[in-house]
Amino acid sequence: MRDMYHEDLDSLGERLVEMTRLARHAIARATTALLDSDLNAAQEVISGDERINRLDQEIEDTAFSLMARQQPVASDLRAIITSLYMRGDLERMGDHAVHLAKIARRRHPDSAIPKPVRSIVLEMGHQAELLVTKAGEVILDRDPDTALELDKDDDRMDRLRRKLLQRILAPGWEYGVEATMDVTLVGRFYERFGDHAVHVADNLVYMVTGEKREDYEAES
């Protein structure tokens, strides 16, 4: 019985890591859809979100089952609760990739991203992939020190979003209201994707150490 308990507990982390892999694939394909006006890539992201949602539900079911059937010790209970928080962030990361894909689909066969900001959006896509990849690594390795790095990595995403907004608000921007709205939303969805990756890392710190990120960072 206890062996099954520990297998179920371990499965939470395995499913979380798989969610990060799926979220990385989704954000990469969403970026391709936006920049290349790739309708197939957009559809792949939208339909693929079902797999992320299914893992999200599996984690929730397993977590509640463990709490109902067992009496987890403090560290195990902390792992179960933080897994529930992390799967919520990862599920929303998948949703943000879907939002980006839907913008690409709506503008097809044209590109939703005007030429002057394409390089910025490409950088944001790469940064999003880096963030979710590192989130997966810290879950897999249970490494709170690497988790602390995500906050600084996310600062770059924030700077890119500010650069994007500065570009569309600058004199000479002549791409109309629809393009302006699309680019604004694109920047927001990438930024939120990064924020959720940071939340995952913060919860990993608490899972491993029992301390909030700020407290653990102050002691490190």
Side-chain angles (χ1 to χ4, degrees), residues 126-144:
H126 289 163
Q127 193 65 15
E129 288 186 61
L130 181 150
L131 283 160
V132 71
T133 299
K134 190 171 284 189
E137 290 170 354
V138 300
I139 295 170
L140 184 63
D141 299 334
R142 296 199 168 200
D143 182 355

Side-chain angles (χ1 to χ4, degrees), residues 68-126:
R69 292 187 293 105
Q70 306 289 338
Q71 294 181 331
V73 298
S75 60
D76 289 349
L77 183 60
R78 194 165 65 237
I80 293 168
I81 297 300
T82 51
S83 293
L84 286 169
Y85 283 118
M86 287 190 280
R87 61 94 197 176
D89 281 304
L90 290 165
E91 190 274 333
R92 285 188 284 276
M93 290 166 78
D95 289 343
H96 291 313
V98 168
H99 293 325
L100 292 169
K102 286 182 176 179
I103 291 173
R105 185 177 66 177
R106 186 166 63 247
R107 298 303 172 207
H108 184 269
D110 298 322
S111 173
I113 309 300
K115 187 175 180 180
V117 294
R118 290 173 66 82
S119 63
I120 303 174
V121 170
L122 180 61
E123 283 188 71
M124 295 184 86
H126 289 163

Side-chain angles (χ1 to χ4, degrees), residues 19-29 52 128-130 132-133 193:
M19 287 184 79
T20 67
R21 290 172 180 155
L22 292 173
R24 179 186 179 182
H25 181 74
I27 200 68
R29 296 297 284 160
I52 296 178
E129 288 186 61
L130 181 150
V132 71
T133 299
F193 188 97

